[in-house]
Amino acid sequence: MKVNELNKPLVIKSASAGSGKTYSLVQDYLKLTLRNGVESTNFSKIIAMTFTNKAAWEMKERIISALDQLANIDSFKGKVLEKAQGLMESTMKNTGLSSNFITEKSKSVLSEILHRYEDFNVLTIDKFSLRLIRTFSRDLDLQDNFEVTLDQEALLEKVIDEMISKIGRPEEEELTRLALSYAKSNINEGNSWDFRRGLIAFSTVLTRETDQEFVNYLLEKEFKDDEYEDIQKDIKELADTHSKMCLEAYQYFVSLHTTADDYPGKSRGIYALLNKLPERDLYNVVAPSTTVLQTLSGENVKEEHNVDGMLMSKVNQIFQFEEENKSKFYTLRKIRENFYNLSFLKYISNELNTFKEKENIIGIYEFGRKIADLLQRERTQYVYERLGNRYNHYLLDEFQDTSRLQWLNLIPLIHESISHGHNILIVGDPKQAIYRFRNGLVEQFVALPAIYNPEGDKELAQISNYFNEMGFLDTLQDNYRSQKMIVEFNNYIFKQLLEVLPPSFSDNYKDIRQNPKSSSGGFVGIKLLSNDVKNEDIQEEEKVFLLESVEKVIEDGYLPGDI
């Protein structure tokens, strides 16, 4: 870390698995609460947010445990004392405070937290959002006693069942016609006539944050039966054109009588792609690897290679066609697949809004949009004042799983805090982004300390420049959890994978390399299956391999808990 970065208020920590992320978070919390000249009640000015209830509970537990160890260090013995002493040394180093001062201040802070536990703000982003919404319920035209529903599927089931119950009524002629067309389409395609489950699954787009712009567009569209035939025709034309290009390129490739040795990367490079051209289709487009792109541009082609220019031109044309048409092809297929779902969407949306108003409920998926509306209406300072507590410091964990709206809603609050010289810590790991299905957007973390701004919003760009100036990225590169051989294996395997993965993955994995801090040792075992093994047999092979591996480790003297 550079000296001039120590005073920057916005700190981004890229923390891979086993890098001591939670320990680092606790140390930052302790630094904010224990420092000299700060009241013991300063913890109420800190808000730490994470993604799940379990993670929030674990963070609370770790903070209280750390304060307890520092406050009562003389009362511990054995390994617990060693752990407490190690924590004290780290805290002294990070804060510059003496052990006596840390002990006394920890006692005071711990006492305040226990007596004012409601001000101990370690919670999920959703709970923080709910706190905002309840505070401003009248501003948002919500009744004071509204309920929050977490089960989106159950909500949609009720709404869709209510809509289906109207089919066949004289006043619902258009709805009935749609239902019959949907059922006939399913039967023609060999599916069950019962479209209820498919309709419920598709209707989740109404509750997904990232789909709202698309949904608003669809709600204005009309889906007529004759459009279905036009879509079928367009799909066939694109697929046939692509197949023809791939076949022509393959036939020319075969006529050259080249071998893998004639191409960069040999069988791992473009040669493998050329051999599979007849199997390539628009239904499963795979972006070319870095090695393939380098061969097409001539960057990795050497004198000993025999790469035909005409062939590379044909392959380039295929990739260009795919790039220009893959989005259109995917969209057409999805529209065809969900044509009647799309036709029903307007009905379901209206039923959903009516049901929520009648039952006085709000879906958790609506939090982000309602807070965005609030922040557009009110000044940030006013929002703080109405909350009844002006948070000075923000600690955001698991940021790679934060949604676009959640981040955009936090930016004004964080901007306000930074402008007053308060500390902001954002921690994440793009390699562990597992909540895209809940609108997590990993690109936001990769862009930090700048703000991900694909729309090019001018106001956001100004704040982004400010964040960039006031923040820095700190990569936690040490691994304290895994043994040396495992860490080194991961370093090696990901280095190899990055050479064949599309370039768009490189930013997510740029901090993949770790330094093993534990003792040497560890074991990595790989069993390769032949191409002859059928898909249905793979699971059985995995079970046998797992059982044999566990039995072998136990024979070697390890306990089951060591595995």
Side-chain angles (χ1 to χ4, degrees):
M1 189 183 300
K2 299 176 183 177
V3 175
N4 66 340
E5 291 177 336
L6 293 172
N7 297 321
K8 289 190 175 184
L10 175 59
V11 180
I12 316 300
K13 291 192 177 181
S14 181
S16 298
S19 62
K21 177 199 72 172
T22 307
Y23 188 86
S24 179
L25 267 168
V26 170
Q27 279 295 320
D28 282 288
Y29 193 95
L30 292 175
K31 190 174 183 178
L32 292 173
T33 52
L34 301 180
R35 58 187 176 180
N36 200 4
V38 171
E39 297 292 331
S40 298
T41 56
N42 191 55
F43 72 91
S44 66
K45 303 295 182 183
I46 305 169
I47 182 162
M49 285 183 269
T50 187
F51 199 67
T52 64
N53 287 320
K54 182 184 178 185
W57 175 255
E58 287 176 352
M59 196 188 301
K60 276 187 174 181
E61 189 178 41
R62 290 285 291 269
I63 290 170
I64 291 175
S65 176
L67 286 168
D68 180 51
Q69 290 179 49
L70 295 172
N72 302 291
I73 193 167
D74 294 333
S75 65
F76 298 116
K77 295 180 181 179
K79 289 186 176 180
V80 180
L81 176 59
E82 289 180 18
K83 186 178 179 181
Q85 287 173 336
L87 177 64
M88 177 63 79
E89 289 176 10
S90 296
T91 308
M92 289 171 64
K93 180 180 178 182
N94 289 332
T95 61
L97 301 171
S98 67
S99 59
N100 288 336
F101 183 91
I102 290 173
T103 296
E104 293 305 312
K105 190 66 177 283
S106 295
K107 289 178 181 178
S108 178
V109 172
L110 185 58
S111 176
E112 290 289 348
I113 288 177
L114 296 177
H115 284 90
R116 296 175 53 186
Y117 194 75
E118 70 277 7
D119 293 330
F120 185 32
N121 299 299
V122 180
L123 67 171
T124 65
I125 294 180
D126 284 336
K127 283 189 176 176
F128 175 69
S129 299
L130 179 58
R131 185 179 295 180
L132 276 173
I133 289 172
R134 288 208 181 277
T135 302
F136 293 91
S137 58
R138 290 189 179 180
D139 303 69
L140 295 168
D141 300 322
L142 295 170
Q143 296 181 38
D144 291 337
N145 60 339
F146 72 84
E147 294 183 16
V148 176
T149 177
L150 303 179
D151 193 340
Q152 297 165 184
E153 185 170 333
L155 176 62
L156 287 170
E157 283 186 6
K158 289 180 182 178
V159 168
I160 290 171
D161 286 341
E162 177 69 21
M163 184 194 71
I164 289 175
S165 71
K166 297 178 181 179
I167 294 173
R169 295 181 184 177
E171 68 274 16
E172 298 290 350
E173 186 177 330
E174 179 62 19
L175 180 65
T176 303
R177 185 193 65 77
L178 271 176
L180 288 173
S181 295
Y182 197 169
K184 287 178 181 176
S185 172
N186 276 352
I187 292 171
N188 290 338
E189 293 179 15
N191 300 321
S192 169
W193 64 268
D194 186 356
F195 52 81
R196 178 178 176 274
R197 292 310 312 172
L199 205 53
I200 291 171
F202 178 79
S203 298
T204 57
V205 298
L206 292 169
T207 65
R208 283 203 295 266
E209 173 192 308
T210 51
D211 293 328
Q212 291 314 297
E213 185 177 345
F214 177 61
V215 167
N216 292 334
Y217 167 76
L218 290 176
L219 292 177
E220 296 175 359
K221 296 275 290 179
E222 295 289 340
F223 293 91
K224 303 296 183 181
D225 288 342
D226 55 347
E227 291 182 33
Y228 189 83
E229 296 303 320
D230 292 337
I231 290 169
Q232 290 273 53
K233 180 180 176 182
D234 290 343
I235 290 173
K236 186 175 185 306
E237 285 181 359
L238 285 171
D240 288 349
T241 301
H242 181 262
S243 295
K244 183 179 178 182
M245 293 174 70
C246 289
L247 184 59
E248 287 179 356
Y250 177 73
Q251 289 173 342
Y252 183 74
F253 161 65
V254 172
S255 72
L256 296 174
H257 301 292
T258 51
T259 66
D261 293 334
D262 292 316
Y263 298 91
K266 297 185 178 180
S267 59
R268 291 176 57 196
I270 199 170
Y271 182 79
L273 183 147
L274 293 168
N275 268 306
K276 294 183 178 180
L277 278 175
E279 304 168 23
R280 195 173 182 87
D281 59 54
L282 274 177
Y283 289 89
N284 297 292
V285 170
V286 178
S289 67
T290 302
T291 303
V292 169
L293 290 175
Q294 288 174 343
T295 303
L296 290 172
S297 66
E299 185 180 339
N300 62 3
V301 178
K302 305 221 169 52
E303 288 185 10
E304 65 266 22
H305 295 137
N306 182 20
V307 177
D308 185 85
M310 179 65 75
L311 178 61
M312 295 302 102
S313 176
K314 288 179 179 292
V315 174
N316 256 324
Q317 288 172 13
I318 292 171
F319 289 151
Q320 185 177 348
F321 181 86
E322 291 174 349
E323 188 61 32
E324 292 174 354
N325 292 285
K326 65 181 181 183
S327 295
K328 178 182 178 181
F329 187 75
Y330 176 82
T331 302
L332 286 170
R333 286 176 55 225
K334 282 299 177 184
I335 292 174
R336 180 184 65 180
E337 181 183 328
N338 295 286
F339 187 84
Y340 291 105
N341 289 331
L342 291 165
S343 302
F344 270 112
L345 200 61
K346 189 177 294 187
Y347 289 93
I348 298 169
S349 178
N350 291 335
E351 289 283 349
L352 181 61
N353 291 332
T354 301
F355 184 85
K356 287 190 298 181
E357 186 176 345
K358 177 184 174 183
E359 299 294 328
N360 192 25
I361 60 176
I362 176 175
I364 195 170
Y365 62 89
E366 297 177 81
F367 283 8
R369 176 52 59 196
K370 289 192 176 295
I371 293 172
D373 293 341
L374 170 67
L375 291 172
Q376 285 176 3
R377 294 186 206 173
E378 310 293 352
R379 293 177 295 108
T380 304
Q381 193 162 351
Y382 173 69
V383 174
Y384 272 125
E385 290 166 359
R386 284 284 300 276
L387 275 172
N389 192 351
R390 182 171 181 134
Y391 301 114
N392 292 341
H393 312 286
Y394 289 80
L395 309 181
L396 308 180
D397 190 19
E398 304 291 356
F399 187 82
Q400 74 277 356
D401 293 320
T402 304
S403 79
R404 181 87 171 118
L405 263 181
Q406 285 172 337
W407 177 222
L408 290 176
N409 290 339
L410 286 170
I411 285 171
L413 306 179
I414 290 174
H415 188 202
E416 176 86 0
S417 289
I418 293 176
S419 65
H420 288 87
H422 299 309
N423 298 93
I424 310 294
L425 174 66
I426 300 177
V427 181
D429 179 11
K431 301 181 295 300
Q432 297 187 60
I434 59 173
Y435 283 97
R436 282 188 181 270
F437 68 92
R438 280 193 55 184
N439 308 309
L441 191 64
V442 68
E443 289 82 358
Q444 293 181 143
F445 182 78
V446 173
L448 290 171
I451 298 172
Y452 179 67
N453 184 18
E455 303 86 1
D457 183 275
K458 291 182 179 180
E459 184 178 349
L460 203 58
Q462 287 183 332
I463 300 174
S464 177
N465 291 336
Y466 180 66
F467 278 20
N468 222 6
E469 180 184 346
M470 303 301 289
F472 71 93
L473 175 66
D474 181 18
T475 302
L476 305 183
Q477 293 183 315
D478 294 336
N479 185 308
Y480 298 92
R481 182 187 301 165
S482 304
Q483 291 191 309
K484 186 176 181 180
M485 185 176 291
I486 295 172
V487 175
E488 289 180 344
F489 172 78
N490 285 339
N491 288 342
Y492 172 79
I493 199 72
F494 275 100
K495 181 182 177 183
Q496 305 302 314
L497 285 173
L498 280 174
E499 293 179 4
V500 295
L501 286 173
S504 56
F505 281 80
S506 59
D507 286 340
N508 293 8
Y509 289 87
K510 62 185 178 184
D511 297 326
I512 190 66
R513 185 168 184 80
Q514 290 187 290
N515 303 319
K517 303 299 287 185
S518 61
S519 59
S520 60
F523 173 75
V524 177
I526 298 175
K527 181 178 180 180
L528 299 176
L529 300 178
S530 70
N531 293 331
D532 298 332
V533 178
K534 297 179 181 178
N535 288 336
E536 56 267 28
D537 296 331
I538 290 178
Q539 193 172 15
E540 189 61 34
E541 290 274 356
E542 289 173 348
K543 291 177 182 177
V544 172
F545 174 73
L546 181 62
L547 184 61
E548 289 176 350
S549 299
V550 170
E551 289 174 346
K552 177 67 169 63
V553 170
I554 292 174
E555 285 177 10
D556 291 341
Y558 290 94
L559 297 173
D562 296 328
I563 302 172

